[in-house]
Amino acid sequence: MTRLLSIDPLHIDDALIQRAAQVIRKGGLVAFPTETVYGLGANALDSAAVARIFTAKGRPASDPVIVHIGERDQLDQVALNVPPLASRLAERFWPGPLTLVLTRHPSIPAIVSSGMPTVAVRMPSHPVALALLRAAQVPIAAPSANRFSRPSATTAQHVLEDLHGAVDLILDGGPASIGLESTIVDLTGDPPVVLRPGGIPLEDLRTLLPALQVQVRLLREDEDGILAPGMLYKHYSPRAPLLLFDGPHQSVVEAMRRTVLDMHSRGKAVGLLIASGERSSFDDLPALLFDMGGDLAAISSQLFEGMRSLDRQGVDAILVHGYDRVGLGLALWDRLLRAAEGRVIECG
Ligand code: TXA
Ligand code: MG
């Protein structure tokens, strides 16, 4: 049975946190808010509990999960030979949306890291997540709290949609503020490599890591920085196919408008994910509009809610366009590209 409990991040109810910590210590699953997305947590030291995460999500055993810690000192209990660079990054960016890949400590069971000798670790900044981690007194393994390949959960409602019955307790601490997952940096080789762009922009990381590389598989910079289709497996995807348009803004708007009209004429229901400033370019069309907000931070925080909302309204396709790939925009582009299974409609 799944219980949903509301918790105010600004006035944390300690009794609720103790109850959730107890579920974790007994080998149960607790979904909890973080500043990036909701996590589906289990005691990271308990391989049977971690196995339940994979079952609940329908996640392949080959996809490792992130270990969350609530204190800096816990890092040495989950990772071996923590390099000075990791300590500097932790000092600068933790608690916060940065995940470090390090050498796995023997106390962390192999299932957490899909058998790899490494472990991904982060200290989230959300007060509910920190309170839970500190009360549980064990590291918590937690992937995003969505069914595998679905858009990540940024509200407790999204967790319920995907995992009702499969999770023991959901702590509802309101919508996640960033709305995109953490940036993952692999520190086990030289130079450090970004495995996933996320909440900490690469520009910020480069102030401490000038040699930082970005994994080729993720962002194969062709002439125009576009990934070849088929390089990505389906991820972050709404049920309706996502059509990703890119190019000069005016050409993109015209192509999106033509596509809406064409699909509508064939009896299809179309949804559009747009920015606030673009309403007047689209609001005369026979389509459902979801306004993600006015700036990159708002758009990022509403992306997954937008996909899920249009899905709930039963659209046959979701149209969206790329945004500037700077700062948080790189993570936004990465999620759009994966949701579109690597296919981009080039305009103009
Ligand atoms: O913001 C986040 O990171 C959220 C919140 C809940 O903390 N978590 C999250 O987890 O996004 P998940 O499981 O959806 O994504 C974790 C990613 C996966 O792509 C996985 O392949 C990678 O982290 N990962 C985990 N352990 C790894 C390891 N040892 N080496 C390389 N990649 C790893
Ligand atoms: Mg995920």
Side-chain angles (χ1 to χ4, degrees):
M1 217 212 19
T2 298
R3 291 193 77 90
L4 177 84
L5 298 173
S6 286
I7 183 159
D8 180 350
L10 300 176
H11 302 278
I12 289 186
D13 179 339
D14 193 51
L16 271 187
I17 290 291
Q18 290 303 334
R19 196 164 144 190
Q22 191 66 17
V23 174
I24 292 284
R25 278 197 301 267
K26 286 190 166 155
L29 299 185
V30 176
F32 60 96
T34 84
E35 70 280 18
T36 57
V37 299
Y38 272 68
L40 175 61
N43 179 355
L45 307 177
D46 177 345
S47 55
V50 175
R52 290 188 63 203
I53 294 178
F54 286 88
T55 309
K57 280 188 60 114
R59 181 180 177 115
S62 56
D63 197 359
V65 300
I66 295 174
V67 172
H68 297 70
I69 57 174
E71 315 271 0
R72 168 64 184 78
D73 290 352
Q74 268 182 312
L75 182 56
D76 299 299
Q77 293 157 32
V78 302
L80 282 180
N81 312 321
V82 174
L85 187 54
S87 304
R88 287 206 296 279
L89 287 166
E91 208 164 288
R92 169 92 164 73
F93 296 107
W94 281 358
L98 177 67
T99 296
L100 302 176
V101 175
L102 299 163
T103 305
R104 178 162 57 90
H105 190 284
S107 71
I108 299 295
I111 183 174
V112 169
S113 300
S114 305
M116 293 190 297
T118 56
V119 63
V121 192
R122 101 171 176 99
M123 190 194 297
S125 65
H126 195 290
V128 172
L130 279 178
L132 175 63
L133 284 159
R134 288 170 186 172
Q137 295 183 331
V138 290
I140 295 182
S144 50
N146 50 279
R147 292 275 308 167
F148 183 67
S149 91
R150 296 262 302 136
S152 299
T154 54
T155 66
Q157 205 52 44
H158 297 166
V159 182
L160 260 188
E161 260 171 38
D162 279 22
L163 299 172
H164 190 86
V167 47
D168 299 302
L169 178 62
I170 302 172
L171 292 176
D172 182 355
S177 57
I178 298 174
L180 300 177
E181 302 78 354
S182 60
T183 303
I184 305 179
V185 179
D186 185 349
L187 294 179
T188 60
D190 191 21
V193 181
V194 174
L195 303 183
R196 177 178 75 185
I200 301 282
L202 301 198
E203 295 86 341
D204 292 3
L205 285 173
R206 288 211 163 99
T207 60
L208 278 184
L209 299 175
L212 188 68
Q213 307 259 305
V214 176
Q215 197 183 55
V216 178
R217 185 173 63 81
L218 287 181
L219 294 169
R220 202 180 67 176
E221 294 284 339
D222 290 353
E223 295 76 52
D224 41 19
I226 302 303
L227 265 160
M231 291 183 73
L232 301 163
Y233 57 95
K234 194 170 142 88
H235 219 119
Y236 311 110
S237 301
R239 294 202 174 84
L242 186 107
L243 306 183
L244 173 57
F245 293 76
D246 197 44
H249 194 251
Q250 202 45 44
S251 315
V252 162
V253 168
E254 284 162 19
M256 287 172 75
R257 289 184 58 90
R258 274 198 308 276
T259 305
V260 170
L261 292 170
D262 174 57
M263 293 188 84
H264 179 72
S265 74
R266 290 185 284 118
K268 304 276 187 217
V270 183
L272 292 174
L273 290 171
I274 59 163
S276 303
E278 300 173 322
R279 272 189 174 275
S280 62
S281 304
F282 298 109
D283 60 7
D284 60 318
L285 291 173
L288 289 166
L289 298 188
F290 184 96
D291 183 343
M292 297 184 286
D295 57 26
L296 217 49
I299 291 166
S300 300
S301 76
Q302 289 302 303
L303 175 68
F304 294 134
E305 166 61 20
M307 290 180 187
R308 284 174 179 266
S309 163
L310 291 173
D311 259 345
R312 282 194 297 269
Q313 295 173 80
V315 298
D316 297 302
I318 297 176
L319 278 49
V320 63
H321 65 73
Y323 293 85
D324 283 348
R325 281 151 233 174
V326 293
L328 201 52
L330 189 63
L332 181 62
W333 175 249
D334 172 78
R335 305 310 185 266
L336 288 171
L337 202 51
R338 286 159 189 273
E341 297 179 54
R343 285 185 292 269
V344 179
I345 300 165
E346 290 296 334
C347 310

